[in-house]
């Protein structure tokens, strides 16, 4: 999708450690954006992306033990969708790959065409490039499961490798959309990770029941929401919790109790609401703080059991 950050670069480095030749694809795929989503404002940073890839090429060139970036595949939409123009309508016409019911929960519940677009464009990329191995990041945990299911169901001869979530110093998961946050919203953006960590801690202390685990997350998010409500509109950053999920690893169906044999995928999404009463000279982020910003994150409860259950090797975070 472009707008490369250190998370993307970490995946490219992982690919270079494991392969002689690395292909990097950059394409802002219109079919994974809903009708009212931010396709037109999604950051497009081709020159900056090429500069980062050139620096990686120099880095790899100085190391005889890693592979090289040999191709940057940057198709136009007519290349990727040569038939009907792509549509973002839920029941629009076109050739699509749908992976249900896995694509219909969590992220798919609020973004019903998102994973249809992801699965379709990834299928196209795999057919065009025919790579031995493809690399995705754990930050988009549901995406990795959808792609894994697609590759299994369609007998695709490509290995899926998952890189760990790359984070800022304070723990915020790196995302191309973080540029929209600005200083005020960025200051509390780690509330989601804090809530997930609270669940992880409760689980480590022996809690397995859903209501007990979710209560730990709710305590964190409710406390921060109340703190922000008490501030003046010119200082606060409001957010809504879209979901906190504790789900079975392969289907992402919600569980009432975390099984000691399976582990669980703990994930969440929050909406950082538009900045209220922006002040003169304030850093409000790309778009002037007018854009709602969705943040997602996840933690694996019993990583090894989840890898065994799904057949996906999820690496430890650095």
């Amino acid at each position: 999708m472009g707008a490369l950050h250190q998370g993307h670069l970490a995946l490219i480095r992982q690919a270079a450690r494991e392969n002689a030749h690395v292909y990097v694809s950059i394409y802002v795929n219109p079919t994974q954006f809903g009708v009212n989503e931010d396709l037109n404002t999604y950051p497009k940073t081709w020159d900056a992306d090429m500069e980062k890839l050139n620096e990686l090429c120099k880095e790899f060139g100085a190391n005889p033990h890693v592979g090289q970036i040999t191709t940057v595949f940057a198709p136009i939409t007519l290349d990727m969708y040569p038939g009907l123009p792509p549509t973002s309508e839920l029941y629009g016409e076109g050739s699509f790959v749908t992976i249900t019911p896995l694509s219909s929960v969590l992220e798919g519940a609020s973004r019903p065409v998102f994973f249809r677009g992801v699965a379709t464009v990834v299928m196209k990329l795999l057919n065009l490039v025919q790579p031995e191995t493809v690399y995705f990041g754990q930050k988009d945990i549901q995406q990795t499961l959808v792609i894994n299911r697609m590759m299994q169901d369609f007998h695709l001869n490509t290995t899926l490798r998952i890189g760990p979530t790359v984070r800022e110093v304070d723990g915020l998961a790196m995302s191309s959309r973080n540029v929209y946050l600005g200083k005020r919203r960025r200051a509390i953006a780690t509330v989601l990770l804090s809530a997930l960590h609270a669940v992880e801690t409760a689980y480590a202390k022996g809690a397995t029941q859903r209501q007990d685990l979710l209560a730990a997350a709710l305590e964190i998010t409710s406390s921060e929401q109340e703190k922000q409500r008490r501030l003046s509109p010119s200082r606060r950053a409001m957010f809504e919790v879209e979901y906190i999920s504790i789900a079975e690893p392969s289907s992402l169906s919600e569980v009432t109790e975390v099984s000691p044999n399976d582990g669980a995928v703990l994930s969440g999404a929050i909406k950082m609401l538009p900045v209220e009463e922006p002040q003169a000279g304030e850093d409000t982020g790309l778009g002037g703080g007018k854009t709602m910003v969705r943040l997602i994150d996840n933690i694996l409860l019993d990583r090894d059991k989840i890898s065994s259950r799904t057949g996906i090797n999820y690496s430890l975070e650095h």
Side-chain angles (χ1 to χ4, degrees), residues 1 11 14 16 26 32 44 56 89 98 138 152 165 175 203 229 234 253 264 266:
M1 292 284 285
L11 288 175
Q14 181 181 354
I26 296 180
Q32 65 195 64
K44 301 173 182 66
L56 274 186
E89 301 287 343
T98 56
Q138 184 192 314
Q152 291 176 342
T165 301
S175 169
Y203 178 70
R229 274 193 288 266
S234 63
S253 57
L266 169 64

mmCIF file of all heavy atoms in Angstrom, residues 1 11 14 16 26 32 44 56 89 98 138 152 165 175 203 229 234 253 264 266:
data_model
loop_
_atom_site.group_PDB
_atom_site.id
_atom_site.type_symbol
_atom_site.label_atom_id
_atom_site.label_comp_id
_atom_site.label_asym_id
_atom_site.label_seq_id
_atom_site.Cartn_x
_atom_site.Cartn_y
_atom_site.Cartn_z
ATOM 1 N N MET A 1 0.816 -1.215 0.000
ATOM 2 C CA MET A 1 0.000 0.000 0.000
ATOM 3 C C MET A 1 0.854 1.271 0.000
ATOM 4 O O MET A 1 0.311 2.362 0.000
ATOM 5 C CB MET A 1 -0.917 0.004 1.236
ATOM 6 C CG MET A 1 -1.987 -1.074 1.194
ATOM 7 S SD MET A 1 -3.340 -0.664 0.078
ATOM 8 C CE MET A 1 -4.186 0.568 1.045
ATOM 9 N N LEU A 11 9.886 -6.178 7.374
ATOM 10 C CA LEU A 11 9.465 -7.331 6.568
ATOM 11 C C LEU A 11 10.402 -7.531 5.373
ATOM 12 O O LEU A 11 10.743 -8.665 5.019
ATOM 13 C CB LEU A 11 8.032 -7.137 6.074
ATOM 14 C CG LEU A 11 6.927 -7.252 7.126
ATOM 15 C CD1 LEU A 11 5.579 -6.904 6.507
ATOM 16 C CD2 LEU A 11 6.882 -8.644 7.734
ATOM 17 N N GLN A 14 13.520 -9.062 6.645
ATOM 18 C CA GLN A 14 13.305 -10.477 6.914
ATOM 19 C C GLN A 14 13.342 -11.276 5.611
ATOM 20 O O GLN A 14 13.959 -12.348 5.534
ATOM 21 C CB GLN A 14 11.961 -10.687 7.613
ATOM 22 C CG GLN A 14 11.654 -12.152 7.958
ATOM 23 C CD GLN A 14 10.311 -12.320 8.636
ATOM 24 O OE1 GLN A 14 9.628 -11.358 8.967
ATOM 25 N NE2 GLN A 14 9.908 -13.573 8.845
ATOM 26 N N ALA A 16 14.920 -10.483 2.905
ATOM 27 C CA ALA A 16 16.296 -10.497 2.388
ATOM 28 C C ALA A 16 17.170 -11.493 3.149
ATOM 29 O O ALA A 16 18.100 -12.074 2.568
ATOM 30 C CB ALA A 16 16.896 -9.100 2.460
ATOM 31 N N ILE A 26 4.160 -2.266 -4.412
ATOM 32 C CA ILE A 26 3.537 -1.043 -3.896
ATOM 33 C C ILE A 26 2.321 -0.746 -4.762
ATOM 34 O O ILE A 26 2.453 -0.472 -5.957
ATOM 35 C CB ILE A 26 4.514 0.144 -3.910
ATOM 36 C CG1 ILE A 26 5.691 -0.107 -2.965
ATOM 37 C CG2 ILE A 26 3.789 1.430 -3.525
ATOM 38 C CD1 ILE A 26 6.705 1.019 -2.917
ATOM 39 N N GLN A 32 -10.270 -2.464 -1.418
ATOM 40 C CA GLN A 32 -10.359 -2.737 0.011
ATOM 41 C C GLN A 32 -10.820 -1.518 0.801
ATOM 42 O O GLN A 32 -10.904 -1.563 2.028
ATOM 43 C CB GLN A 32 -9.025 -3.252 0.557
ATOM 44 C CG GLN A 32 -7.864 -2.293 0.508
ATOM 45 C CD GLN A 32 -6.536 -3.003 0.724
ATOM 46 O OE1 GLN A 32 -6.123 -3.842 -0.081
ATOM 47 N NE2 GLN A 32 -5.861 -2.665 1.815
ATOM 48 N N LYS A 44 -0.013 8.883 -0.044
ATOM 49 C CA LYS A 44 0.702 8.346 -1.207
ATOM 50 C C LYS A 44 2.064 9.042 -1.257
ATOM 51 O O LYS A 44 2.149 10.232 -1.533
ATOM 52 C CB LYS A 44 -0.105 8.569 -2.476
ATOM 53 C CG LYS A 44 -1.496 7.906 -2.422
ATOM 54 C CD LYS A 44 -2.355 8.282 -3.612
ATOM 55 C CE LYS A 44 -3.739 7.652 -3.513
ATOM 56 N NZ LYS A 44 -4.512 8.196 -2.378
ATOM 57 N N LEU A 56 17.728 0.796 1.653
ATOM 58 C CA LEU A 56 17.783 -0.638 1.935
ATOM 59 C C LEU A 56 18.697 -1.351 0.941
ATOM 60 O O LEU A 56 19.451 -2.261 1.323
ATOM 61 C CB LEU A 56 16.380 -1.251 1.876
ATOM 62 C CG LEU A 56 15.528 -1.199 3.136
ATOM 63 C CD1 LEU A 56 14.246 -1.985 2.925
ATOM 64 C CD2 LEU A 56 16.274 -1.727 4.354
ATOM 65 N N GLU A 89 -18.623 -1.100 -3.857
ATOM 66 C CA GLU A 89 -19.980 -1.416 -3.416
ATOM 67 C C GLU A 89 -20.013 -2.841 -2.847
ATOM 68 O O GLU A 89 -19.362 -3.748 -3.372
ATOM 69 C CB GLU A 89 -20.964 -1.321 -4.587
ATOM 70 C CG GLU A 89 -21.022 0.054 -5.247
ATOM 71 C CD GLU A 89 -21.723 1.083 -4.385
ATOM 72 O OE1 GLU A 89 -22.427 0.668 -3.440
ATOM 73 O OE2 GLU A 89 -21.562 2.286 -4.642
ATOM 74 N N THR A 98 -13.683 -14.118 -1.964
ATOM 75 C CA THR A 98 -14.290 -13.906 -0.655
ATOM 76 C C THR A 98 -13.983 -15.105 0.234
ATOM 77 O O THR A 98 -14.125 -16.252 -0.182
ATOM 78 C CB THR A 98 -15.816 -13.732 -0.764
ATOM 79 O OG1 THR A 98 -16.380 -14.867 -1.433
ATOM 80 C CG2 THR A 98 -16.156 -12.480 -1.538
ATOM 81 N N GLN A 138 2.259 -9.150 11.636
ATOM 82 C CA GLN A 138 1.272 -9.601 12.616
ATOM 83 C C GLN A 138 0.318 -8.493 13.037
ATOM 84 O O GLN A 138 -0.783 -8.762 13.514
ATOM 85 C CB GLN A 138 1.973 -10.160 13.865
ATOM 86 C CG GLN A 138 1.002 -10.744 14.886
ATOM 87 C CD GLN A 138 1.628 -11.040 16.223
ATOM 88 O OE1 GLN A 138 2.706 -11.613 16.285
ATOM 89 N NE2 GLN A 138 0.966 -10.630 17.303
ATOM 90 N N GLN A 152 -4.568 -21.903 1.591
ATOM 91 C CA GLN A 152 -4.880 -23.310 1.815
ATOM 92 C C GLN A 152 -6.026 -23.772 0.920
ATOM 93 O O GLN A 152 -5.939 -24.815 0.253
ATOM 94 C CB GLN A 152 -5.237 -23.542 3.287
ATOM 95 C CG GLN A 152 -4.082 -23.396 4.244
ATOM 96 C CD GLN A 152 -4.509 -23.543 5.686
ATOM 97 O OE1 GLN A 152 -5.684 -23.437 6.026
ATOM 98 N NE2 GLN A 152 -3.544 -23.794 6.577
ATOM 99 N N THR A 165 4.955 -7.517 14.967
ATOM 100 C CA THR A 165 4.544 -6.114 14.955
ATOM 101 C C THR A 165 5.722 -5.227 15.360
ATOM 102 O O THR A 165 6.389 -5.486 16.358
ATOM 103 C CB THR A 165 3.372 -5.898 15.932
ATOM 104 O OG1 THR A 165 2.278 -6.737 15.542
ATOM 105 C CG2 THR A 165 2.925 -4.441 15.939
ATOM 106 N N SER A 175 1.951 2.255 11.827
ATOM 107 C CA SER A 175 0.895 2.192 10.818
ATOM 108 C C SER A 175 1.018 3.406 9.916
ATOM 109 O O SER A 175 1.402 4.501 10.368
ATOM 110 C CB SER A 175 -0.489 2.186 11.480
ATOM 111 O OG SER A 175 -1.512 2.384 10.525
ATOM 112 N N TYR A 203 -4.555 -12.777 32.280
ATOM 113 C CA TYR A 203 -4.453 -14.156 31.799
ATOM 114 C C TYR A 203 -3.230 -14.846 32.397
ATOM 115 O O TYR A 203 -3.298 -16.009 32.815
ATOM 116 C CB TYR A 203 -4.386 -14.158 30.272
ATOM 117 C CG TYR A 203 -4.240 -15.530 29.650
ATOM 118 C CD1 TYR A 203 -5.281 -16.440 29.688
ATOM 119 C CD2 TYR A 203 -3.053 -15.906 29.029
ATOM 120 C CE1 TYR A 203 -5.156 -17.706 29.122
ATOM 121 C CE2 TYR A 203 -2.913 -17.161 28.459
ATOM 122 C CZ TYR A 203 -3.971 -18.055 28.499
ATOM 123 O OH TYR A 203 -3.834 -19.302 27.943
ATOM 124 N N ARG A 229 -12.628 13.270 29.148
ATOM 125 C CA ARG A 229 -13.888 14.023 29.244
ATOM 126 C C ARG A 229 -13.765 15.198 30.208
ATOM 127 O O ARG A 229 -14.449 16.219 30.037
ATOM 128 C CB ARG A 229 -15.025 13.097 29.683
ATOM 129 C CG ARG A 229 -15.693 12.363 28.537
ATOM 130 C CD ARG A 229 -16.992 11.710 28.978
ATOM 131 N NE ARG A 229 -16.743 10.558 29.845
ATOM 132 C CZ ARG A 229 -16.659 9.314 29.414
ATOM 133 N NH1 ARG A 229 -16.787 9.049 28.124
ATOM 134 N NH2 ARG A 229 -16.441 8.330 30.268
ATOM 135 N N SER A 234 -10.423 21.998 24.013
ATOM 136 C CA SER A 234 -9.195 22.438 23.341
ATOM 137 C C SER A 234 -7.977 21.623 23.745
ATOM 138 O O SER A 234 -6.913 21.774 23.156
ATOM 139 C CB SER A 234 -8.937 23.923 23.639
ATOM 140 O OG SER A 234 -8.716 24.117 25.031
ATOM 141 N N SER A 253 -13.745 -16.796 16.049
ATOM 142 C CA SER A 253 -15.021 -16.777 16.757
ATOM 143 C C SER A 253 -14.754 -16.489 18.229
ATOM 144 O O SER A 253 -13.767 -16.970 18.805
ATOM 145 C CB SER A 253 -15.752 -18.112 16.593
ATOM 146 O OG SER A 253 -14.946 -19.187 17.044
ATOM 147 N N ALA A 264 -5.555 -17.980 22.521
ATOM 148 C CA ALA A 264 -6.556 -17.082 21.940
ATOM 149 C C ALA A 264 -5.873 -15.882 21.303
ATOM 150 O O ALA A 264 -4.776 -15.489 21.699
ATOM 151 C CB ALA A 264 -7.559 -16.613 23.001
ATOM 152 N N LEU A 266 -6.067 -12.078 21.061
ATOM 153 C CA LEU A 266 -6.593 -10.903 21.749
ATOM 154 C C LEU A 266 -6.362 -9.703 20.837
ATOM 155 O O LEU A 266 -5.224 -9.397 20.488
ATOM 156 C CB LEU A 266 -5.860 -10.727 23.074
ATOM 157 C CG LEU A 266 -6.057 -9.426 23.839
ATOM 158 C CD1 LEU A 266 -7.502 -9.267 24.272
ATOM 159 C CD2 LEU A 266 -5.117 -9.385 25.045
#
